[in-house]
């Protein structure tokens, strides 16, 4: 079920809320917790009941291992638990990647396995690894099995994050009343409406300037390649921020506050700041459970640069089972290593730093989106002018050499300027979380109404969120 589908908005969400509120008022907090777990199970089971059983099996095993680690902390038991989780993720997400890579490297012809990656597996596996590690460290104090199950299954964050810690959910489920107050409801409505608008109006509109050009990477002209790259940067921005806000808004309806996962990353003035703003909870996980254990915070700049390379390469692999994702992560690791080694010697200033960071991130997104490494290289060559500087006729105004004029089957040229306005908008204006302080004014109410009505008319053909595939 998609958050932006009529089935979810008109049927599942009202039914889940009605069941939750009724259970809370008639039978108390414990009944409301069961109602929330049932609703989350139905949400996931609507996609696949078979994989729902797998999810519950993994949940049960991790709960038992966590209990053992709390009673008797052991590095060997922790390693075994983490290995089981990684083996599960490795089979479903990376088995075919390793088989195809082996076939390419040594010329074998092993058949690919008939495997479907369960939705959200990358996210809930990381949550369980964090849970086992926290149990080993003695940081887990709530062992209630129902609250643990909700922590794993809570449907607003089950499919694509945020990656939450155990205490962030269970501590809220222990309150005497789980029903949201007026302030939380208004905040939830604002976040859900803004996220829905970002997804169905902005991100899905940008897709038409992304999908076709990236499918014909070798045929793009100079401005067409830049338009495709920037359009994807903005599509991913609005798609992922839209999902994150919808997830937070949905959680608010059930009286739960999720951590902020997206905070205007294109306002970042350097690559380290970008990763503090983009997919914040993933960055937190990588920092706490990989970067710091690798010695990235206390052993000098060279050690930090090396740790950044390793962590970001693994982060790239986490995003997708393909060499383009691995190289994308490695490239960001190189960006971070350069930043850590040289940031004390150079200062570009915030405006210039924002532009340079955005261009570097956009350049890397090409690798993230491209279907193959050859497509990414073709796009990069075109963007850097190796295929000449070809401009669409609509932008022609007596361009000097080496610019030439030629029609493009993908853009007419004016889209590029619309995209630049969109980039300026996300860099210079308040984000949704900054606007929440005004979320109860009549102006914001009018804005919510306009966004909701506009979005409703675009719900007939819902598309998946980009991060679902990861």
């Amino acid at each position: 079920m998609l958050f932006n589908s009529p089935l979810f908005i008109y049927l599942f969400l009202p039914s889940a809320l009605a069941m939750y509120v009724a259970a809370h008022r008639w039978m108390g907090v414990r009944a409301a917790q069961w109602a929330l777990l049932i609703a989350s199970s139905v949400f996931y089971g609507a996609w696949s009941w078979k994989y729902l059983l797998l999810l519950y099996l993994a949940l049960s095993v991790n709960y038992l291992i966590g209990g053992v680690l709390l009673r008797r902390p052991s590095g060997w038991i922790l390693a075994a638990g983490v290995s089981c989780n990684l083996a599960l993720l490795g089979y479903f997400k990376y088995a075919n990647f390793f088989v195809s890579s082996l076939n390419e490297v040594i010329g074998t012809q092993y058949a690919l396995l008939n495997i479907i990656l369960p939705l959200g597996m990358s996210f809930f596996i990381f949550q369980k690894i964090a849970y086992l590690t926290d149990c080993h460290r003695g940081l887990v104090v709530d062992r209630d099995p129902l609250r643990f199950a909700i922590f794993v299954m809570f449907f607003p964050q089950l499919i694509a994050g945020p990656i939450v810690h155990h205490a962030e959910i269970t501590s809220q489920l222990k309150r005497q009343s789980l029903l949201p107050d007026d302030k939380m409801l208004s905040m939830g409505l604002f976040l859900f409406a803004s996220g829905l608008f970002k997804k169905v109006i902005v991100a899905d509109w940008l897709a038409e300037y992304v999908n076709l050009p990236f499918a014909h990477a070798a045929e793009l002209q100079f401005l067409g390649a830049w338009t495709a790259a920037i359009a994807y940067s903005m599509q991913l921005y609005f798609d992922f921020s839209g999902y994150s806000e919808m997830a937070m808004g949905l959680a608010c309806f059930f009286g739960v506050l999720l951590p902020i996962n997206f905070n205007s990353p294109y306002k970042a003035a350097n690559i380290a700041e970008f990763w503090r703003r983009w997919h914040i909870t993933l960055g937190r996980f990588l920092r706490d459970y990989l970067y710091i254990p690798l010695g990235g915070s206390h052993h000098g700049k060279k050690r930090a640069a090396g740790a950044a390379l390793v962590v970001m390469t693994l982060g790239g692999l986490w995003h997708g089972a393909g060499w383009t994702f691995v190289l994308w992560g490695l490239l960001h690791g190189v960006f971070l290593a350069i930043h850590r080694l040289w940031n004390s010697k150079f200062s570009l200033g915030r405006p210039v730093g924002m532009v340079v960071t955005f261009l570097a991130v956009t350049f890397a997104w090409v690798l993230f989106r491209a279907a193959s490494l050859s497509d990414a290289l073709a796009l990069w060559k075109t963007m850097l002018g190796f295929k000449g500087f070809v401009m669409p006729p609509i932008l022609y105004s007596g361009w000097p050499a080496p610019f030439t004029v030629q029609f493009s089957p993908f853009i007419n040229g004016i889209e590029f300027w619309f995209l630049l306005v969109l980039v300026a908008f996300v860099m210079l204006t308040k984000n949704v979380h900054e606007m929440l302080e005004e979320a109860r004014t009549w102006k914001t109410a009018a804005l919510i109404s306009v966004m909701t009505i506009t979005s409703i008319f675009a719900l007939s053909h819902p598309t998946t969120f980009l991060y679902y595939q990861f």
Side-chain angles (χ1 to χ4, degrees):
M1 236 181 303
L2 299 171
F3 291 168
N4 55 321
S5 68
L7 176 64
F8 178 85
I9 293 174
Y10 299 139
L11 180 61
F12 174 82
L13 182 58
S15 301
L17 283 171
M19 180 175 64
Y20 182 72
V21 172
H24 194 291
R25 288 182 174 174
W26 295 342
M27 292 176 283
V29 170
R30 197 64 172 177
Q33 292 173 354
W34 277 108
L36 188 53
L37 181 60
I38 292 170
S40 297
S41 300
V42 171
F43 174 81
Y44 197 87
W47 173 70
S48 171
W49 287 101
K50 178 175 66 174
Y51 285 126
L52 176 65
L53 296 177
L54 175 66
L55 181 57
Y56 268 109
L57 176 61
L59 179 158
S60 302
V61 171
N62 277 273
Y63 177 79
L64 294 174
I65 295 175
V68 173
L69 287 170
L70 279 172
R71 293 190 298 271
R72 182 185 175 186
S74 166
W76 288 105
I77 296 175
L78 175 63
V82 171
S83 297
C84 287
N85 282 290
L86 292 179
L88 186 66
L89 180 63
Y91 172 75
F92 281 99
K93 190 167 185 176
Y94 302 109
N96 280 331
F97 169 61
F98 290 130
V99 170
S100 61
S101 298
L102 186 66
N103 288 341
E104 291 178 9
V105 172
I106 64 176
T108 54
Q109 295 183 343
Y110 294 115
L112 297 181
L113 303 174
N114 185 23
I115 299 174
I116 298 176
L117 176 66
L119 286 177
M121 174 166 278
S122 297
F123 292 90
F124 60 71
I125 287 295
F126 268 23
Q127 285 189 186
K128 294 190 185 78
I129 290 175
Y131 173 76
L132 294 181
T133 305
D134 289 346
C135 285
H136 176 69
R137 295 171 178 174
L139 301 178
V140 174
V141 295
D142 187 346
R143 282 285 293 165
D144 181 79
L146 177 55
R147 288 194 288 267
F148 175 79
I150 296 173
F151 150 68
V152 176
M153 297 291 300
F154 189 40
F155 75 88
Q157 55 84 40
L158 174 62
I159 303 298
I163 300 172
V164 296
H165 284 293
H166 178 258
E168 289 175 320
I169 299 296
T170 56
S171 61
Q172 298 184 68
L173 296 175
K174 294 167 70 174
R175 298 195 308 264
Q176 291 184 348
S177 174
L178 302 182
L179 297 179
D181 56 21
D182 291 345
K183 183 177 180 181
M184 186 172 282
L185 281 174
S186 64
M187 181 170 65
L189 181 60
F190 180 71
L191 287 169
F192 186 82
S194 64
L196 183 63
F197 183 87
K198 284 182 175 181
K199 168 58 179 172
V200 303
I201 301 300
V202 184
D204 288 351
W205 165 71
L206 287 167
E208 65 182 270
Y209 301 108
V210 175
N211 296 337
L212 185 62
F214 269 91
H216 299 82
E219 303 171 33
L220 295 177
Q221 301 168 359
F222 174 73
L223 197 66
W226 274 104
T227 299
I230 295 175
Y232 182 65
S233 294
M234 301 313 298
Q235 181 199 15
L236 193 55
Y237 176 95
F238 282 99
D239 193 283
F240 187 34
S241 65
Y243 169 84
S244 299
E245 288 156 21
M246 291 178 76
M248 288 188 69
L250 289 168
C252 287
F253 295 155
F254 294 89
V256 176
L257 285 173
L258 292 179
I260 294 175
N261 202 32
F262 201 90
N263 185 23
S264 296
Y266 292 154
K267 292 180 180 179
N270 58 65
I271 197 66
E273 184 185 352
F274 171 82
W275 279 106
R276 289 194 295 269
R277 291 172 173 266
W278 180 281
H279 209 331
I280 296 169
T281 57
L282 173 63
R284 178 180 66 178
F285 177 92
L286 294 176
R287 179 198 66 205
D288 294 345
Y289 300 100
L290 278 177
Y291 181 74
I292 292 177
L294 287 173
S297 59
H298 300 294
H299 298 280
K301 291 184 177 181
K302 291 185 179 180
R303 183 71 170 268
L309 279 171
V310 173
V311 169
M312 292 310 301
T313 302
L314 292 175
L317 183 61
W318 175 85
H319 276 86
W323 287 110
T324 53
F325 292 105
V326 174
L327 294 174
W328 170 81
L330 177 61
L331 183 57
H332 268 278
V334 171
F335 289 162
L336 284 169
I338 293 172
H339 169 73
R340 294 196 177 280
L341 290 173
W342 302 104
N343 68 329
S344 61
K345 298 182 180 181
F346 299 98
S347 179
L348 298 175
R350 187 156 194 87
V352 176
M354 288 171 63
V355 173
V356 171
T357 302
F358 176 77
L359 290 175
V361 169
T362 297
F363 197 75
W365 282 139
V366 170
L367 193 58
F368 193 82
R369 174 60 177 80
S372 64
L373 181 57
S374 61
D375 280 357
L377 292 174
L379 270 163
W380 280 344
K381 288 179 181 179
T382 306
M383 292 168 68
L384 294 174
F386 286 96
K387 296 182 180 180
F389 299 92
V390 181
M391 308 298 290
I394 196 172
L395 298 181
Y396 178 70
S397 58
W399 289 98
F403 288 99
T404 59
V405 181
Q406 185 176 331
F407 283 100
S408 169
F410 305 104
I411 66 166
N412 61 26
I414 199 67
E415 304 93 341
F416 182 75
W417 303 111
F418 288 150
L419 288 172
L420 290 186
V421 170
L422 202 57
V423 171
F425 175 81
V426 301
M427 284 185 172
L428 302 176
T429 61
K430 290 182 178 180
N431 63 34
V432 167
H433 302 292
E434 293 166 335
M435 294 173 62
L436 275 175
E437 297 177 0
E438 307 166 4
R440 303 186 77 181
T441 66
W442 69 268
K443 291 182 180 179
T444 307
L447 179 61
I448 291 174
S449 300
V450 171
M451 288 191 300
T452 303
I453 293 171
T454 307
S455 301
I456 285 174
F457 286 107
L459 291 179
S460 57
H461 297 92
T463 60
T464 60
F465 290 90
L466 296 178
Y467 257 75
Y468 274 19
Q469 64 184 293
F470 308 133

